[in-house]
Amino acid sequence: MKHIDAATHTRGESQYIDDVPQPEGMLHAAVFGSPIAHGRLLTIDLDKAREVPGVRTILTADDIPGENQVGALIADEMLLAESTVHFVGEPIALVLAETPATAHKAAQMISVETEALPVITDPRVAFEKGEIIGATRTFVLGDVDQAWKDCDVVVEGSCEIAGQEHLYLETQRARAVPREDGCLQIYASTQSPYAVQKGVARILGLPHHKVEVDVKRLGGGFGGKEDQATHWACLAALGAQITGKAIELVLPRHQDMVMTGKRHPYSSDYKIGLKQDGKIVAYEARHYQNAGAAADLSPAILERTLFHSTNAYFIPNVRAFAASCRTNLPPNTAFRGFGGPQGMFVIESAITKAAETLEVTREEIQLKNLLQDHDIFPYGQQVHDANIRRTWQEAEKSFKLKNLQKRIREFNDNHFEKKKGFAIMPICFGISFTATFLNQAGALVHVYTDGSVSVSTGGVEMGQGLITNLAKIAATAFGIDEARVKVETTNTTRVANMSPSAASATTDLNGNATLAAASEILQRLKSFAVKELNLSHPERLTIEKETLLFEGKETGWTWQKLVQSAYFNRVDLSAHGFYATPGVWFNKDKEKGHPFAYHVFGTAAFEVTVDCLRGTYEIDKTKIVHDLGRPMNELIDRGQIEGGLAQGLGWMTLEELKFDDQGRYLSNSLASYKVPDVFFMPDDLEIKLLENVNNTWGPYGTKAVGEPPLMYGIGVFFALQDAMRAFRPEMPLTFDTPMTPEKVLMQLHRDEIEGFKTDSDVMADHQEQPVKETE
Amino acid sequence: MPEPLHFILNDKEYETTLPGGTLVLDFLRLHARFCGTKEGCKEGDCGACMVLVGELDGDTIHYKPITSCLMPIGEMHGKHLVTIEGLNQQNLTPVQQAIVDAGGSQCGFCTPGIVVSLTGYLLQRGPSFDDVAVKYALGGNLCRCTGYASLKRACTEVAHRFEHNGDDHTTRSGIDHLRKLIEWQMAPPYFESIPSRLQALAAANPTNGQQIDGPLIAGGTDIYVQRGAQLPNTEVRILGRDSGMKTIEVHEGDIHVGALTTFEEFATHPEIQKCIPGIVSYNLYNASWQIRNRATLGGNIVNASPIGDMTALLLALESELLLQRQGQTRTVAMRDFFKGYKKLDLQSGEILTEIRFAKPDRDTLVHFEKVSKRKTLDIASVNSAIRIRCKAGSIVETALTMGGVAPIPLLMKNTNDFLTGKPVCSETVRGAIAVALSEVSPINDIRGSAEYKTLLVRQLLIAHFSTLFPKQITVREFYETH
Ligand SMILES: Cc1cc2nc3c(=O)[nH]c(=O)nc-3n(C[C@H](O)[C@H](O)[C@H](O)COP(=O)(O)OP(=O)(O)OC[C@H]3O[C@@H](n4cnc5c(N)ncnc54)[C@H](O)[C@@H]3O)c2cc1C
Ligand code: FES
Ligand code: FES
């Protein structure tokens, strides 16, 4: 089934918040953010800005009627700064004006007096200073301290893992419209309508029911609108409440980049011990997460780093420690993978280093240690349906990886400055929110008398194909044509208390809730029909292709007739369904439990070519075998795999966040922050789905697909390193991401660099040049 | 009070008195409320704002995809502006259908821009999508959701469908081509009437030739990135509305290039391809097709960025610049034009009208190298061009330039002097590297560390010579110790 919205998307008719016709008298908002990364806020001068024609009013923290707080997990983040600012871009004032241009012009005329405080950008420095958010966490399995002595080799080292800009093409935005009796309607580009509802209610001091949040679709989210869409919706709501006018707030790209958090950079240490034969005996990791200036979702993300700290491997002795460190960067937040990718990068680095020491290939160690059924993760859960070996073997076989490697070796023997590299990346990703209570969902299903169906759930459509999946699930459940089903906007008045659309679990949870609602209606319809048809055993009735069957034989009733007759006989054609993932739990005191309903597995192989003269490279081939369970909608699922992969590849290669030591974000535009473009992605990309796999947890045996494929991208780092080693075998291995062409060249030609001295005097002459070369 | 602007917006004649500097994107979204055109960056980097601009050429018309976020509305006068809404027909067009079928749209925010780019490609070149063509066509569109694989499949599908539909790969412009696309439902039927309607529009609204006093806009692809907040409320002087400055001519061994020549026009011109055989491939790494449709050579030079790509190339060709003000013309050698960081030998009100360089002779080779983080649609960390004339195995004359290593686009004077008269061999290159390193002064910035750029100076010198003289010089020789 094709994406339901695809046709209107291609026609430019799909509406995003600011495409919808504007309410009468709507005002536009612009945010003034802190110019410094840390300091006391002494005065705010709004006079000049107020004089700009077209400006209606300017709001600051003093104007907030409720609680000035947007911290979701920990109450440590204000909507508008009061006495202190903690990162560059932290919102201080909100300008409301007749046009967006006026609002932005006025915002630029606001000035503040500040008293600078020390700026921390490095998580290890923050850790040493005790700037730790929440509790540090340690997962333990076996006894690493005892195990080191059983190892034939022990290697250790560290990794610097960069963050990542979400770069959803639609920047953050919201529109707030005042309704009668002090109510507000909020149209937000959010993955978490309930978080927006709660946030607005808290800021304005209203009960939740006075705030209605409605979400049609997002122009991309990727985690960046899970928690951080709330701020902008709250600001719009604040403006609406105070002015009585509709307010629209759209962040320009540059502000979106400066003001919002990103994937967390991590600084991590590893120590790994192995037997001579490559069996991993013990692994220790210490993760210092750069959380930015406030908690946001960092503690939850930290936890997932630990959950995935051994990736797809079984290691009997593990100690993984993680601390969330407060720095003066924008509060970092959810991003596809949610901390998992960082944990996986570190174990992959450790394996690479170990392979070097043992003088074997990475793949030998990887393969030897892949999970098998009933192995135990450091968090106590046993792995079931461990398909990881199957995906690996399938990849080796279908893609003839041995041949591929042989051809790579031949290529390298025959070329001097061009070198090819190879790597395999197995992944294992746990599905469920690790905060157990979030694994619940509601759905509201109506059947109308013409037989058409309306489905509302708590899930948000952000391109991932959720509404298409839901339509398919409902249509399959009812046995009717997909065209009869409409999936509605996500609205807090139709489904309450929804969990965010995240953790890859949106289709699982909301699909199962939809199924629950549909089966309730079906039950009522069938009980009614058996009576009318003078039959017994309602469970022997089925609907196929819109026809009511009894024990497989036609009853003469169509879906339409069934629905209509039921209506005239006063059968309720609406139902609310609820789903809570069974069997998941986690005990934080013991750091043990069964946090995941199931795991997703897969294996990717990469071939790259590095131009060792210029430091540039190309990804030639990506070959993937992925475990989707029993896919319900291959077109959409493949799209998720391809898109996730692209983000993973970008994260490992081009996407470089640059902050200076004063916490100023330098790569603050698309001109300086580079994401994969059409040239960058490999033409030779093959994805095979693992066949004959079951999954009891997803609707109709499907498996979640949103996040796991991103982590395939990690493999490209090691493939590039492999190619570089072919040019310069003695090159020391370092694990700093992303592997930009700059890093490639600098690592390949360290000797040459030593050869020249940069003339510091000449350089000083030009230091005045602006940092941002727009060109 | 400037004259009102007259153009055709999709299927309607349109008149506006908005200041000419207003961005087409703002005009569409805020004034005309054609909201299929999206804003993703306002810097030309994402393509969400893509529109087609059709320009009369005799009695036919040429369409180009252009980022509306960097284009002033004043530019639309007398032209056909097409948004996604103007491409829609009752049924999905083959491009739209193929994207739907291939799963090429997820969140949908990039999708209208992608449809516009692909349709623009069809209008220019027909449905001959192969791997290379797809990338060319989508080079200026970012999609964060799909990873492009499904979009590539969609294009392949379009190509397949129309290969069997009588596309002989030749009719690519002119009214016949347009008719064929209309017949294939790639463009709506009203397109056929546009040329005559534009002619009628021009006849009904003769311009009074009055020139607006305001900032000069050539392609707008630099100035709107830098001053996008201020210009939109002002009148601007749109150079493209003055006549001329767009031709490429050969005069007695000299090539004269109008300053308004776009990157794309330059690189696809047969004379230029003869002079600079690699130009098509170099150009692929300059911006994107969509930006190259607007970016002018003159703008690249006057913008004076130390890493302008065409600037590096034209400097190596030892170009001369013709500058004009109120009928007065003077000529400056390009090597003397750059005085300091963004300081030029250009007086206020002076316009660069033409760039001239000597046609390279048979013994002369020209090559261009660029290294950027992302290979395509990215600004160079370091770029470099070389023009080198050799006879009997030794260098007679050379002009090597480097960008990104000094406050100005740098003609490597000492290195050139060193190279002159030397034999073509790795020893010479080694010597040249030493001289070059003493000539550059790169700084740390967003495009790389000073050390990296210094290293690139060496690498690109080796790259030039090993590419131009593969028989005499190999990269291996520079890594004996490996
Ligand atoms: C997304 C993107 C990617 C880019 N990639 C590249 C790239 O890869 N390589 C590269 O070199 N550049 C790149 N650029 C920069 C830009 O496209 C080029 O510098 C281009 O050549 C500028 O030309 P323009 O006609 O658009 O200049 P404008 O923006 O119109 O003008 C630039 C400046 O020059 C002045 N000016 C222009 N023409 C004249 C004239 N004839 N006489 C006097 N003054 C004049 C203007 O007043 C203005 O101050 C990119 C830009 C964007 C937006
Ligand atoms: S808005 Fe991104 S290119 Fe115009
Ligand atoms: S579909 Fe979302 S950016 Fe392309």
Side-chain angles (χ1 to χ4, degrees):
Chain A
M1 187 180 174
K2 286 152 203 163
H3 197 302
I4 286 185
D5 283 343
T8 53
H9 283 353
T10 61
R11 293 172 65 88
E13 292 166 352
S14 298
Q15 290 184 320
Y16 302 81
I17 289 164
D18 51 332
D19 298 338
V20 177
Q22 306 182 354
E24 187 84 21
M26 188 176 85
L27 300 176
H28 298 266
V31 183
F32 169 75
S34 170
I36 60 164
H38 194 197
R40 265 184 269 284
L41 191 55
L42 305 176
T43 60
I44 311 177
D45 182 358
L46 303 175
D47 292 348
K48 276 211 208 86
R50 283 207 177 98
E51 281 162 21
V52 176
V55 170
R56 289 294 181 81
T57 184
I58 303 177
L59 307 177
T60 60
D62 294 341
D63 298 299
I64 294 174
E67 192 189 347
N68 183 10
Q69 185 52 244
V70 285
L73 298 182
I74 298 174
D76 67 347
E77 191 178 0
M78 287 172 182
L79 180 65
L80 290 170
E82 285 175 10
S83 55
T84 319
V85 287
H86 311 84
F87 62 96
V88 174
E90 178 174 351
I92 294 176
L94 185 74
V95 181
L96 303 175
E98 283 157 19
T99 68
T102 309
H104 286 288
K105 186 173 159 198
Q108 283 184 349
M109 301 179 117
I110 296 175
S111 58
V112 287
E113 261 181 88
T114 54
E115 182 190 316
L117 293 168
V119 173
I120 304 177
T121 57
D122 180 336
R124 292 194 193 240
V125 173
F127 184 79
E128 266 160 35
K129 298 208 160 140
E131 291 287 344
I132 298 167
I133 296 174
T136 63
R137 305 280 295 270
T138 308
F139 284 16
V140 176
L141 183 69
D143 186 341
V144 269
D145 297 321
Q146 285 299 313
W148 298 125
K149 63 176 181 346
D150 300 332
C151 302
D152 295 329
V153 289
V154 175
V155 295
E156 47 193 315
S158 59
C159 303
E160 290 298 327
I161 309 169
Q164 182 176 26
E165 190 69 63
H166 298 86
L167 225 109
Y168 26 66
L169 266 220
E170 176 211 42
T171 54
Q172 303 272 3
R173 62 198 60 193
R175 187 187 278 180
V177 185
R179 300 288 187 215
E180 63 186 55
D181 196 23
C183 294
L184 279 165
Q185 178 129 21
I186 315 283
Y187 301 94
S189 180
T190 178
Q191 295 173 241
S192 189
Y194 186 43
V196 169
Q197 185 185 27
K198 279 191 288 191
V200 169
R202 188 179 195 181
I203 290 292
L204 300 181
L206 296 174
H208 291 185
H209 71 231
K210 285 206 158 187
V211 181
E212 175 180 342
V213 180
D214 191 85
V215 183
K216 174 68 183 166
R217 64 168 62 81
L218 274 55
F222 316 117
K225 298 173 183 169
E226 180 175 345
D227 193 61
Q228 298 212 347
T230 304
H231 306 47
W232 319 108
C234 283
L235 285 171
L238 175 68
Q241 182 79 341
I242 287 181
T243 60
K245 300 278 179 202
I247 302 289
E248 184 169 282
L249 172 58
V250 176
L251 288 189
R253 175 63 61 188
H254 171 76
Q255 280 199 332
D256 188 299
M257 294 181 86
V258 170
M259 293 180 170
T260 68
K262 304 152 204 326
R263 186 189 295 287
H264 293 75
Y266 274 60
S267 185
S268 303
D269 300 324
Y270 64 81
K271 183 171 174 187
I272 190 166
L274 304 90
K275 287 286 195 197
Q276 197 58 45
D277 67 358
K279 193 89 194 138
I280 305 173
V281 177
Y283 175 62
E284 180 166 18
R286 291 179 69 82
H287 301 288
Y288 302 91
Q289 178 199 52
N290 191 336
D296 195 90
L297 298 171
S298 297
I301 291 160
L302 190 79
E303 188 175 71
R304 205 177 258 278
T305 302
L306 293 178
F307 283 123
H308 295 305
S309 57
T310 53
N311 189 14
Y313 310 105
F314 172 66
I315 305 176
N317 301 287
V318 177
R319 183 165 58 219
F321 163 90
S324 182
C325 310
R326 191 184 289 106
T327 63
N328 297 108
L329 303 186
N332 287 315
T333 192
F335 195 147
R336 210 172 194 169
F338 207 74
Q342 292 93 328
M344 291 188 192
F345 181 82
V346 179
I347 178 79
E348 292 298 325
S349 300
I351 287 175
T352 308
K353 190 82 188 154
E356 178 190 43
T357 312
L358 281 172
E359 296 182 348
V360 298
T361 61
R362 262 168 55 80
E363 295 81 45
E364 264 175 74
I365 300 180
Q366 288 175 312
L367 182 58
K368 184 145 270 159
N369 295 282
L370 288 180
L371 286 162
Q372 315 216 27
D373 264 353
H374 311 301
D375 280 344
I376 302 220
F377 288 106
Y379 47 91
Q381 182 167 346
Q382 261 194 3
V383 61
H384 290 292
D385 304 317
N387 295 327
I388 186 63
R389 263 168 212 274
R390 282 184 60 200
T391 61
W392 180 293
Q393 283 155 359
E394 188 62 43
E396 280 202 321
K397 200 169 92 212
S398 348
F399 304 129
K400 304 198 173 62
L401 295 183
K402 289 271 174 318
N403 283 350
L404 190 76
Q405 284 175 275
K406 190 163 153 265
R407 282 202 305 278
I408 290 175
R409 278 193 300 273
E410 284 164 8
F411 179 96
N412 287 345
D413 289 343
N414 293 318
H415 290 79
F416 182 74
E417 65 265 29
K418 291 248 163 89
K419 293 292 183 201
K420 282 185 183 284
F422 175 83
I424 296 186
M425 180 71 198
I427 59 156
C428 163
F429 196 77
I431 302 300
S432 290
F433 284 99
T434 55
T436 303
F437 74 93
L438 290 174
N439 295 294
Q440 54 171 311
L444 179 64
V445 176
H446 301 312
V447 177
Y448 295 101
T449 55
D450 66 348
S452 65
V453 174
S454 152
V455 176
S456 292
T457 72
V460 169
E461 172 62 40
M462 44 191 164
Q464 86 281 45
L466 173 72
I467 60 170
T468 311
N469 290 337
L470 292 175
K472 181 144 186 174
I473 287 169
T476 311
F478 285 125
I480 58 175
D481 196 76
E482 283 146 7
R484 286 211 191 249
V485 183
K486 172 162 179 266
V487 181
E488 308 289 349
T489 61
T490 314
N491 187 296
T492 51
T493 66
R494 272 177 267 122
V495 174
N497 311 326
M498 72 262 291
S499 297
S501 286
S504 309
T506 316
T507 298
D508 282 9
L509 294 171
N510 294 283
N512 278 321
T514 303
L515 273 181
S519 38
E520 172 138 8
I521 297 174
L522 270 175
Q523 241 165 36
R524 292 184 210 140
L525 287 171
K526 288 178 185 173
S527 313
F528 159 72
V530 280
K531 267 190 277 160
E532 290 293 297
L533 292 165
N534 286 322
L535 300 164
S536 50
H537 296 294
E539 73 283 0
R540 294 186 193 165
L541 280 172
T542 51
I543 305 168
E544 274 169 40
K545 297 202 177 130
E546 311 226 330
T547 316
L548 186 67
L549 306 176
F550 185 74
E551 295 181 338
K553 288 195 255 339
E554 296 213 1
T555 58
W557 281 31
T558 59
W559 165 254
Q560 190 125 349
K561 167 140 198 226
L562 173 64
V563 169
Q564 247 162 28
S565 320
Y567 170 72
F568 283 113
N569 286 281
R570 300 189 292 172
V571 176
D572 182 0
L573 294 177
S574 298
H576 174 262
F578 180 76
Y579 179 77
T581 316
V584 289
W585 60 276
F586 193 70
N587 180 336
K588 275 197 186 179
D589 297 328
K590 301 209 169 84
E591 302 285 27
K592 297 281 178 198
H594 190 102
F596 300 117
Y598 59 93
H599 292 84
V600 169
F601 303 95
T603 297
F606 295 91
E607 178 189 319
V608 300
T609 304
V610 176
D611 176 338
C612 300
L613 179 63
R614 298 172 181 84
T616 53
Y617 47 76
E618 254 156 53
I619 304 168
D620 306 318
K621 294 186 170 71
T622 305
K623 309 280 183 183
I624 295 173
V625 176
H626 188 82
D627 166 17
L628 268 180
R630 262 180 286 142
M632 190 173 48
N633 205 330
E634 258 195 65
L635 187 69
I636 283 182
D637 290 343
R638 276 183 190 271
Q640 288 297 298
I641 299 173
E642 290 162 357
L645 170 75
Q647 286 180 342
L649 293 177
W651 177 47
M652 282 290 121
T653 55
L654 304 176
E655 298 188 35
E656 190 175 25
L657 299 175
K658 281 198 175 170
F659 287 91
D660 68 10
D661 59 1
Q662 288 307 301
R664 281 178 300 232
Y665 186 34
L666 306 178
S667 47
N668 58 10
S669 73
L670 292 201
S672 47
Y673 185 81
K674 293 294 166 188
V675 298
D677 65 355
V678 67
F679 287 91
F680 182 78
M681 290 300 291
D683 284 329
D684 189 352
L685 164 61
E686 267 187 284
I687 298 167
K688 256 194 102 188
L689 303 181
L690 194 65
E691 284 168 8
N692 297 323
V693 274
N694 280 323
N695 181 33
T696 40
W697 305 98
Y700 299 113
T702 57
K703 275 196 175 186
V705 66
E707 292 167 287
L710 183 134
M711 281 148 272
Y712 290 133
I714 293 170
V716 85
F717 181 94
F718 299 99
L720 289 169
Q721 221 174 33
D722 187 48
M724 290 155 72
R725 273 288 181 99
F727 185 82
R728 209 183 143 211
E730 78 287 2
M731 181 188 87
L733 294 176
T734 51
F735 302 102
D736 298 351
T737 75
M739 189 66 96
T740 56
E742 174 168 1
K743 288 212 192 103
V744 170
L745 201 70
M746 297 296 275
Q747 288 180 27
L748 284 175
H749 303 287
R750 207 155 273 160
D751 303 348
E752 283 75 26
I753 302 165
E754 295 304 311
F756 16 95
K757 273 239 124 2
T758 34
D759 186 336
S760 51
D761 295 336
V762 181
M763 277 171 53
D765 276 354
H766 308 304
Q767 290 304 359
E768 296 310 308
Q769 291 179 23
V771 187
K772 185 187 170 203
E773 180 57 71
T774 53
E775 211 251 354
Chain B
M1 181 69 193
E3 306 172 57
L5 300 164
H6 293 271
F7 53 97
I8 300 177
L9 170 58
N10 297 330
D11 196 15
K12 282 212 172 61
E13 276 66 10
Y14 210 97
E15 181 184 317
T16 180
T17 50
L18 282 171
T22 309
L23 289 169
V24 172
L25 175 62
D26 289 343
F27 159 74
L28 288 172
R29 288 194 59 84
L30 304 175
H31 299 276
R33 286 298 277 173
F34 277 97
C35 293
T37 310
K38 308 294 179 203
E39 176 180 326
C41 68
K42 246 181 176 173
E43 292 198 325
D45 267 294
C46 78
C49 66
M50 205 65 71
V51 294
L52 295 180
V53 177
E55 200 171 342
L56 271 183
D57 178 9
D59 51 8
T60 181
I61 186 163
H62 294 298
Y63 286 95
K64 291 174 188 167
I66 285 173
T67 55
S68 64
C69 65
L70 300 179
M71 180 166 56
I73 191 76
E75 190 78 64
M76 287 304 97
H77 188 68
K79 294 183 185 162
H80 184 204
L81 171 61
V82 190
T83 68
I84 183 70
E85 290 86 352
L87 293 176
N88 286 338
Q89 303 173 54
Q90 194 168 2
N91 297 323
L92 295 182
T93 69
V95 167
Q96 290 170 327
Q97 189 63 52
I99 291 177
V100 171
D101 293 345
S105 178
Q106 292 187 17
C107 80
F109 205 79
C110 68
T111 312
I114 283 176
V115 172
V116 171
S117 282
L118 291 175
T119 308
Y121 189 88
L122 294 170
L123 285 163
Q124 267 196 20
R125 298 177 184 218
S128 49
F129 283 120
D130 52 21
D131 281 358
V132 181
V134 173
K135 289 180 207 161
Y136 202 89
L138 291 182
N141 294 85
L142 290 181
C143 173
R144 191 57 156 164
C145 297
T146 62
Y148 310 97
S150 48
L151 290 166
K152 292 180 193 169
R153 287 195 290 272
C155 291
T156 311
E157 183 50 38
V158 173
H160 275 167
R161 252 183 87 182
F162 291 94
E163 262 163 13
H164 311 298
N165 221 331
D167 176 28
D168 53 9
H169 289 262
T170 48
T171 39
R172 289 209 180 121
S173 62
I175 210 77
D176 288 343
H177 178 61
L178 194 57
R179 289 208 180 104
K180 187 168 263 179
L181 290 179
I182 292 170
E183 186 194 315
W184 288 343
Q185 299 184 2
M186 308 245 196
Y190 78 85
F191 267 55
E192 200 177 337
S193 68
I194 295 294
S196 58
R197 284 163 68 187
L198 282 179
Q199 279 160 354
L201 195 70
N205 303 286
T207 54
N208 59 16
Q210 160 203 354
Q211 272 181 356
I212 293 158
D213 218 13
L216 297 182
I217 312 288
T221 61
D222 264 319
I223 195 161
Y224 272 102
V225 173
Q226 288 165 45
R227 295 174 56 195
Q230 302 95 43
L231 289 178
N233 274 324
T234 55
E235 291 298 341
V236 291
R237 171 146 178 219
I238 291 169
L239 289 170
R241 289 181 64 183
D242 307 353
S243 55
M245 294 196 269
K246 275 209 153 247
T247 52
I248 298 179
E249 286 163 1
V250 189
H251 291 273
E252 295 169 10
D254 277 355
I255 308 271
H256 295 194
V257 184
L260 288 187
T261 304
T262 64
F263 284 23
E264 201 64 12
E265 288 160 346
F266 185 69
T268 51
H269 197 281
E271 276 305 326
I272 302 302
Q273 292 177 350
K274 267 189 257 163
C275 301
I276 314 167
I279 187 69
V280 173
S281 60
Y282 309 150
N283 205 34
L284 200 61
Y285 299 108
N286 293 348
S288 61
W289 174 45
Q290 289 81 353
I291 295 292
R292 295 194 300 269
N293 279 331
R294 283 285 289 164
T296 67
L297 298 195
N300 201 246
I301 296 169
V302 177
N303 184 51
S305 159
I307 35 180
D309 289 323
M310 285 298 181
T311 301
L313 191 59
L314 293 167
L315 187 61
L317 291 165
E318 303 239 41
S319 300
E320 290 198 323
L321 308 177
L322 254 66
L323 305 172
Q324 235 175 52
R325 184 170 60 173
Q326 291 158 353
Q328 304 271 354
T329 304
R330 67 185 177 107
T331 309
V332 185
M334 203 169 161
R335 61 159 71 207
D336 301 325
F337 190 58
F338 303 104
K339 296 292 181 200
Y341 182 69
K342 297 232 167 188
K343 284 202 197 80
L344 295 174
D345 176 7
L346 183 77
Q347 271 126 52
S348 124
E350 235 175 3
I351 293 177
L352 166 61
T353 55
E354 196 166 278
I355 302 137
R356 295 183 176 173
F357 56 86
K359 204 172 162 175
D361 65 12
R362 275 192 306 135
D363 299 323
T364 302
L365 298 170
V366 178
H367 186 58
F368 175 75
E369 286 278 340
K370 168 177 178 176
V371 170
S372 49
K373 188 183 285 170
R374 190 173 65 197
K375 277 192 181 171
T376 40
L377 187 43
D378 196 3
I379 305 297
S381 295
V382 175
N383 62 15
S384 176
I386 190 167
R387 181 180 55 87
I388 185 162
R389 196 152 79 88
C390 299
K391 268 236 154 99
S394 66
I395 301 165
V396 181
E397 191 202 344
T398 184
L400 169 77
T401 66
M402 291 256 170
V405 294
I408 59 168
L410 201 63
L411 184 72
M412 306 282 283
K413 196 176 167 310
N414 299 344
T415 315
N416 291 327
D417 290 348
F418 172 86
L419 284 166
T420 308
K422 297 277 188 319
V424 175
C425 64
S426 61
E427 213 34 61
T428 300
V429 179
R430 256 184 253 276
I433 290 170
V435 181
L437 291 177
S438 69
E439 226 173 337
V440 298
S441 50
I443 58 163
N444 295 315
D445 67 13
I446 193 76
R447 312 256 170 247
S449 66
E451 253 189 335
Y452 172 53
K453 293 178 193 171
T454 309
L455 179 56
L456 277 174
V457 169
R458 170 186 187 269
Q459 303 305 103
L460 293 191
L461 261 164
I462 300 172
H464 278 310
F465 280 88
S466 60
T467 308
L468 291 175
F469 309 100
K471 290 212 187 79
Q472 294 95 317
I473 298 170
T474 63
V475 175
R476 192 188 294 266
E477 293 168 73
F478 296 86
Y479 294 91
E480 302 294 28
T481 53
H482 278 255

